[in-house]
Amino acid sequence: MEAFPGAHRPLYEVKANLFKGMAHPVRVRVLEILSTSPDVSVTDLISDMGVEASRLSQHLSVLRTHHLVVSERRGSQVFYSLAYPRVADLLATAKMLLGEVLESTQQQLRTSEWAAPEPVEAGEAESAPRR
């Protein structure tokens, strides 16, 4: 088995697979929770997120497959943590980028010709020439 699946592929494909690993709201939320704590038990993740254990397990499996999280068994509990601290940096960067995109979009809407047209007076619409 290869140490890092896809290591022989072009970097842009490997990057795309990294983002595929994050491409679900539950997985993003797990990463956010893990970015605020050194490790979190599966029991705590289930409690914090309010999802079924089987559903969370599937998402944790995807995150492990994409090398975003690591797990450690301690007695009867399994604890998860970020595989790399830079995952937290990536989440923070995404949040800042989304804020910039939102601000830009709001600014465009405020200044855009696509903004809601001014209402037409009752008699004006009827007198406009038809083509």
Side-chain angles (χ1 to χ4, degrees):
M1 186 167 136
E2 152 176 43
F4 190 83
H8 61 282
R9 294 187 156 168
L11 183 56
Y12 62 86
E13 286 184 21
V14 176
K15 286 180 186 178
N17 281 326
L18 172 74
F19 287 109
K20 285 179 188 177
M22 298 175 69
H24 193 282
V26 169
R27 294 194 291 269
V28 170
R29 184 65 189 133
V30 166
L31 294 172
E32 288 175 342
I33 291 169
L34 295 178
S35 71
T36 63
S37 180
D39 57 8
V40 181
S41 72
V42 171
T43 304
D44 288 341
L45 284 171
I46 291 168
S47 175
D48 288 351
M49 297 184 61
V51 297
E52 294 179 15
S54 60
R55 184 170 177 223
L56 180 61
S57 177
Q58 291 171 346
H59 288 292
L60 289 168
S61 175
V62 171
L63 291 170
R64 280 191 315 270
T65 298
H66 290 280
H67 305 280
L68 293 165
V69 300
V70 292
S71 62
E72 177 186 348
R73 180 172 291 281
R74 296 183 205 149
S76 63
Q77 291 270 8
V78 177
F79 288 81
Y80 278 85
S81 59
L82 295 178
Y84 304 96
R86 293 217 181 233
V87 174
D89 297 340
L90 183 58
L91 292 170
T93 300
K95 183 178 180 179
M96 288 188 298
L97 174 60
L98 289 172
E100 291 174 17
V101 169
L102 178 60
E103 178 60 35
S104 175
T105 301
Q106 289 174 337
Q107 182 63 31
Q108 288 173 358
L109 288 173
R110 285 191 293 267
T111 60
S112 173
E113 293 178 3
W114 293 99
E118 293 184 27
V120 178
E121 296 290 326
E124 291 180 28
E126 295 168 3
S127 63
R130 293 188 180 180
R131 294 179 194 205

